Amino acid sequence: MPAITQELPAPNRTKPLFDSNDVTVIFVLGGPGAGKGTQCANLVRDYGFKHLSAGDLLRAEQDREGSQFGDMIKEYIRDGKIVPMEVTVQLLENAMQDAIDNEGNKRFLIDGFPRKMDQALKFEEAVCLSKFTLFFDCPEDVMQERLLNRGKTSGRSDDNAESIKKRFKTFVETSMPVVKHYEKEGKVVIVDATPTPENVYEDVKKKFAEKGIEEKA
Ligand code: C5P
Ligand code: MG
């Protein structure tokens, strides 16, 4: 495998690139199939956030002609493993800079990230401190059913029974510790993701209001 640091060095800074008083970052976590993307779309519509999905950015990089990481990303995604964080952190930083420069949007929902402690620490050290983490809590049997359904049309290489099993394992072993870490800091907003998308969104809106985050005029 080529050295990741050749083309996408992990940002090496002692201070975050963006000031969290100026740039808002909300992490959106939850198991695969918990409904993160669906709820983020609602929040973009009503609150004007910029939605950045780490998984979508990785899939785009995987398909980008000339990417030296394409094959590596493909393998990690199929196996439900977490891609080395240098790649993901840099893709997010680039996408944030782009949204700030070209859309003037400084409010971000960062979906499916951080999925591993090293991502969380590196991002907050080098890119931006998060405001809080929105966590969609959902039982595995519900997520499994949603993913298998989605797999009929998503065309995703990892929406199949075998990959789903691996993704659940990664979620429990690698991503839940991130949620626990932010819980200890009192920075997690938990939403029950079992009900219908409409009911889940009602709860999200209520909790955002409690956090002082207002809808677009
Ligand atoms: O969030 P999503 O389900 O789209 O992520 C798909 C895959 O992308 C994950 O299973 C994982 O392989 C990779 N990924 C990652 N690090 C992240 C987000 C996604 O490695 N922070
Ligand atoms: Mg998603």
Side-chain angles (χ1 to χ4, degrees):
M1 193 171 29
I4 284 151
T5 46
Q6 272 172 21
E7 198 177 288
L8 278 176
N12 202 1
R13 302 186 189 97
T14 48
K15 201 167 138 265
L17 178 62
F18 305 116
D19 179 350
S20 57
N21 293 312
D22 184 40
V23 171
T24 302
V25 166
I26 297 172
F27 291 143
V28 181
L29 289 179
K36 301 182 293 293
T38 304
Q39 298 303 328
C40 282
N42 291 332
L43 288 166
V44 166
R45 183 193 61 218
D46 297 339
Y47 293 77
F49 286 105
K50 176 74 184 176
H51 175 222
L52 296 177
S53 155
D56 287 351
L57 289 171
L58 287 166
R59 281 183 287 273
E61 177 65 20
Q62 168 196 294
D63 296 338
R64 185 174 65 83
E65 203 161 326
S67 169
Q68 71 175 115
F69 306 115
D71 291 341
M72 179 210 34
I73 294 172
K74 201 168 286 175
E75 217 174 281
Y76 274 84
I77 288 185
R78 200 193 43 232
D79 290 340
K81 289 188 307 197
I82 305 301
V83 174
M85 59 100 178
E86 289 82 356
V87 175
T88 317
V89 171
Q90 187 66 56
L91 288 170
L92 282 168
E93 180 185 312
N94 294 351
M96 287 174 72
Q97 189 65 260
D98 190 67
I100 291 170
D101 293 346
N102 298 314
E103 301 167 29
N105 199 337
K106 295 181 173 180
R107 298 165 76 232
F108 296 95
L109 292 173
I110 302 201
D111 164 5
F113 182 95
R115 292 270 248 287
K116 191 172 173 179
M117 268 319 292
D118 65 351
Q119 295 182 343
L121 297 175
K122 181 51 116 183
F123 183 91
E124 293 206 302
E125 175 192 292
V127 183
C128 194
L129 268 180
S130 65
K131 193 172 175 69
F132 61 86
T133 293
L134 176 61
F135 175 58
F136 290 106
D137 194 15
C138 198
E140 266 185 26
D141 56 332
V142 175
M143 295 195 286
Q144 162 124 5
E145 198 187 317
R146 289 178 186 170
L147 289 172
L148 289 173
N149 250 320
R150 183 174 80 182
K152 292 175 194 160
T153 54
S154 71
R156 276 181 53 162
S157 64
D158 58 351
D159 282 344
N160 60 77
E162 197 186 327
S163 291
I164 290 169
K165 214 167 128 187
K166 294 177 180 167
R167 290 158 73 195
F168 283 160
K169 185 169 151 48
T170 299
F171 175 67
V172 172
E173 291 176 358
T174 311
S175 305
M176 271 316 286
V178 177
V179 178
K180 299 283 170 220
H181 165 78
Y182 286 120
E183 247 181 340
K184 266 190 233 140
E185 294 187 353
K187 283 175 71 173
V188 179
V189 170
I190 303 180
V191 169
D192 176 9
T194 323
T196 64
E198 293 74 23
N199 289 332
V200 172
Y201 188 49
E202 284 309 309
D203 196 18
V204 171
K205 283 206 286 193
K206 203 178 88 199
K207 287 179 170 150
F208 269 46
E210 286 166 13
K211 282 272 173 195
I213 298 176
E214 287 172 20
E215 291 188 56
K216 277 197 298 202

